[in-house]
Amino acid sequence: MQSKKKPNVSKDKKIQPDFKPTTKTMVRILRTIEESGEEAKTALSINTHLNYSRLARHILWLEEKGLVESKIDKSKIKVALTKKGKAFISTFSDA
């Protein structure tokens, strides 16, 4: 039986070296994924009220930190929280 390798969706993508996401935007993205579950980038862009290119930069940064992972599912790129991402977002209260 041959094992299938999962394609690394962001392996060729690089974020700008000086890119620093705001905590507010990071939390908004992570909370939306936490509440909605694994979600396509386009839907995530709509649900977080971020334009797609801004969201994509944040997703790349979050992937580099190990907080989210992107997967290809039926020709869509879906983003999900990792175990580390779930632990991180749980530290933020709703207050």
Side-chain angles (χ1 to χ4, degrees):
M1 188 167 151
Q2 191 176 14
S3 66
K4 288 186 179 182
K5 274 185 134 182
K6 289 184 183 180
N8 187 342
V9 178
S10 64
K11 75 176 182 179
D12 297 329
K13 308 272 183 183
K14 300 279 186 215
I15 59 172
Q16 298 165 334
D18 59 342
F19 177 75
K20 292 184 178 121
T22 64
T23 303
K24 181 180 177 181
T25 303
M26 254 189 352
V27 170
R28 185 180 345 162
I29 293 167
L30 295 173
R31 276 221 175 105
T32 301
I33 298 170
E34 178 186 41
E35 292 167 1
S36 304
E38 187 176 283
E39 195 163 22
K41 278 187 178 180
T42 304
L44 190 56
S45 174
I46 292 166
N47 293 335
T48 57
H49 306 287
L50 294 170
N51 73 40
Y52 190 87
S53 63
R54 184 172 179 201
L55 173 75
R57 283 193 305 270
H58 281 80
I59 295 297
L60 285 173
W61 190 90
L62 291 166
E63 284 179 336
E64 285 183 1
K65 302 302 179 195
L67 300 173
V68 300
E69 62 182 349
S70 294
K71 305 172 189 177
I72 298 176
D73 181 36
K74 297 179 186 173
S75 75
K76 291 187 178 188
I77 299 173
K78 292 194 171 186
V79 182
L81 289 176
T82 61
K83 198 176 216 179
K84 184 177 175 181
K86 289 175 185 175
F88 178 80
I89 196 62
S90 71
T91 62
F92 289 88
S93 69
D94 290 326

